[in-house]
């Protein structure tokens, strides 16, 4: 039988974890559930982590969005979906995502589409464009940004 973790042990483990990197409330709750911490103790530990600023969903959302856009090259829709899965309040997510300029998404999308265009095998330009759109949508970019890149790039940059 698995030994249950006490509230103090859970607090110590989670505070050490949060001191190393950003985490959201949902991640902490999931960990405590895995460890077999009672619901009552989970609430106490969570309240203490929030009070002592180890866990802050707004701070987590800012770091998460920054990382996913800059390093993973995700689009807005994919980041929104990931925040939703982590149970981040919609208002927090919207505020953080609204702070990201469309130009930042375009800086990620243009080179990605350029590179993908070279590797796509298609019989017509229409088919190639549709495959590019499907690829960009899968990465979480919105149709308006995709159109901007494809329309501009079709004439200028893809002619190499």
């Amino acid at each position: 039988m698995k030994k249950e973790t006490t509230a103090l042990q859970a607090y110590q483990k989670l505070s050490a974890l949060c001191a190393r990197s950003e985490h959201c409330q949902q991640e902490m709750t999931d960990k405590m559930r895995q460890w077999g911490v009672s619901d009552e103790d989970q609430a106490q530990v969570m309240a203490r982590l929030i009070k002592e600023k180890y866990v802050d969903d707004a701070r987590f959302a800012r770091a998460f969005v920054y990382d996913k856009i800059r390093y993973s090259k995700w689009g807005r829709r994919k980041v929104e979906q990931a925040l939703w899965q982590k149970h981040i309040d919609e208002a927090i997510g919207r505020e953080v995502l609204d702070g990201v300029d469309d130009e930042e998404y375009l800086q990620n999308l243009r080179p990605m589409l350029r590179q993908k265009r070279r590797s796509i095998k298609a019989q017509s330009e229409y088919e190639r464009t549709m495959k590019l759109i499907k690829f960009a949508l899968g990465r979480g970019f919105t149709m308006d940004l995709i159109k901007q890149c494809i329309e501009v790039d079709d004439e200028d940059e893809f002619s190499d």
Side-chain angles (χ1 to χ4, degrees), residues 77-122:
R77 295 290 305 138
K78 192 166 184 173
V79 174
E80 279 176 348
Q81 190 172 28
L83 289 173
W84 176 82
Q85 287 177 327
K86 292 191 176 287
H87 299 272
I88 301 297
D89 186 72
E90 193 177 323
I92 293 171
R94 194 176 317 111
E95 180 184 334
V96 172
L97 285 166
D98 286 347
V100 178
D101 188 33
D102 278 353
E103 191 57 41
E104 202 162 339
Y105 293 115
L106 290 171
Q107 287 173 1
N108 291 336
L109 184 58
R110 282 187 184 116
M112 209 182 317
L113 287 177
R114 235 180 267 126
Q115 184 176 4
K116 185 67 176 175
R117 186 175 194 72
R118 291 185 195 116
S119 67
I120 289 179
K121 308 241 183 301

Side-chain angles (χ1 to χ4, degrees), residues 56-67 83 92 95-96:
D56 181 353
D57 279 353
R59 189 177 64 215
F60 169 80
R62 282 190 298 277
F64 184 82
V65 168
Y66 176 85
D67 286 351
L83 289 173
I92 293 171
E95 180 184 334
V96 172

